[in-house]
Amino acid sequence: MGNLVVVGVDGSSSSLAAVEAAAQEARWRRAELRVVHAIWPVIAPGPVPMAAAPFGPPEGVLPAAAERLVTEALRRAGNVAPQVEVTHEVVAGEALTVLELQSRDADLVIIGSRGRGGFVGMLLGSTAVYLTAHSQCPVMVVREQREAAGPIVLGVDGSRAGEKAVDFAFAEAALRGADIIALHAWTPDNVPVPPPQVPDVFGPGTVAEVEERLLAQSLAGRQEKYPDVSVRPELVHGVNHEALIEASRTAQLMVVGARGRGGFTGLLLGSVSQALLHHAHCPVTVVRGKE
């Protein structure tokens, strides 16, 4: 982990909070931080010289505005982590496409939950939803600036796709010096065996015992790799996203896979991940894994 952290900025308060979170992440990882701003609409995609406008008023009002917001972002990053190397890019293109392309070279992309162009009252912007579904690296979505206190809450679902989220959470906890709560919520409906084989919830080999083994197996081997990370497995009888949202109240970060074992084949972003992006009380990192 740790060569490049990318943060998308658009001048909104949540994107500036994302810059501060990104600077901290880059410091922990000893990584370069790249501040990226996308200008749209444009005639042709590509890097935009800060002194020239490819469209709009002849005076270059929009690039001047871009320069101001990037300058503010660089100032915020420098205040948080002055030792981090920070570069910036102003790119002609739609933010969704620009950041997805940036994710191909990054270890982590960080964005605010709702951009400057969002509707009043909207909990989550379209860029956040799209990027978490299509990014080539983990994406952290920051709703508001918070103190880095509390544990990392890891949503465990036992899926193959979720293994990458487990790996990310342990590595992140080691960087932050944080504890992990590995939370797995279950109901009899989500047991990972065909219905004829589902044991009686109240008899020997109960569903709860099946899910407890699943949780233990999902965490197996990570404690040996990260001996300094304290992990507390937590099994909850209840709806997954509701349990995770409640746990996020006292967390410094939530980590989940993009799609769990209950999702439809081909679905890029699962319902649990989407619910957390909309309603979690702390930053959320969505980690995509190979199926």
Side-chain angles (χ1 to χ4, degrees):
M1 296 177 71
N3 291 321
L4 178 63
V5 174
V6 170
V7 59
V9 298
D10 63 4
S12 65
S13 58
S14 69
S15 81
L16 292 176
V19 169
E20 295 177 354
Q24 187 67 271
E25 283 287 338
R27 183 179 70 82
W28 284 326
R29 296 161 179 263
R30 299 181 180 177
E32 174 192 342
L33 174 62
R34 181 185 298 165
V35 175
V36 177
H37 174 61
I39 293 181
W40 178 265
V42 294
I43 296 173
V48 178
M50 294 295 280
F55 66 95
E59 296 82 4
V61 172
L62 287 175
E67 186 169 8
R68 285 195 297 273
L69 73 86
V70 169
T71 298
E72 174 61 14
L74 296 176
R75 185 188 70 81
R76 295 275 188 117
N79 287 344
V80 171
Q83 68 274 50
V84 169
E85 178 185 353
V86 185
T87 60
H88 67 272
E89 291 186 13
V90 177
V91 182
E94 192 176 18
L96 308 176
T97 304
V98 168
L99 290 173
E100 190 277 326
L101 289 172
Q102 292 281 336
S103 75
R104 300 180 186 186
D105 297 324
D107 299 291
L108 178 66
V109 173
I110 303 181
I111 56 174
S113 60
R114 190 168 70 86
R116 190 173 51 185
F119 294 101
V120 174
M122 183 180 288
L123 293 175
L124 191 68
S126 58
T127 300
V129 174
Y130 177 93
L131 191 61
T132 51
H134 293 87
S135 174
Q136 303 300 306
C137 71
V139 176
M140 182 184 298
V141 178
V142 177
R143 189 180 307 280
E144 60 187 63
Q145 186 69 325
R146 294 171 54 94
E147 294 296 325
I152 292 174
V153 174
L154 166 64
V156 178
D157 61 17
S159 68
R160 290 183 60 191
E163 292 177 4
K164 293 288 187 183
V166 176
D167 290 334
F168 179 93
F170 272 84
E172 186 73 11
L175 290 172
R176 295 181 177 221
D179 297 339
I180 292 177
I181 294 177
L183 191 152
H184 174 58
W186 66 275
T187 66
D189 295 330
N190 69 9
V191 67
V193 293
Q197 302 176 32
V198 176
D200 182 358
V201 174
F202 301 102
T206 65
V207 171
E209 291 173 342
V210 171
E211 298 292 341
E212 187 174 7
R213 287 196 295 272
L214 181 149
L215 177 56
Q217 290 166 1
S218 297
L219 302 175
R222 272 69 175 206
Q223 197 75 73
E224 290 78 6
K225 186 175 180 180
Y226 299 99
D228 295 330
V229 175
S230 175
V231 184
R232 188 176 85 221
E234 193 167 305
L235 195 66
V236 177
H237 184 195
V239 179
N240 206 346
H241 71 270
E242 293 177 356
L244 289 167
I245 289 169
E246 182 60 30
S248 75
R249 292 181 183 276
T250 56
Q252 63 175 278
L253 179 68
M254 176 74 62
V255 178
V256 291
R259 188 171 69 82
R261 70 186 186 203
F264 295 100
T265 300
L267 192 65
L268 294 176
L269 193 63
S271 59
V272 172
S273 302
Q274 292 196 49
L276 290 169
L277 288 171
H278 281 281
H279 300 293
H281 301 278
C282 66
V284 177
T285 299
V286 177
V287 183
R288 288 179 53 74
K290 295 182 184 278
E291 296 298 320

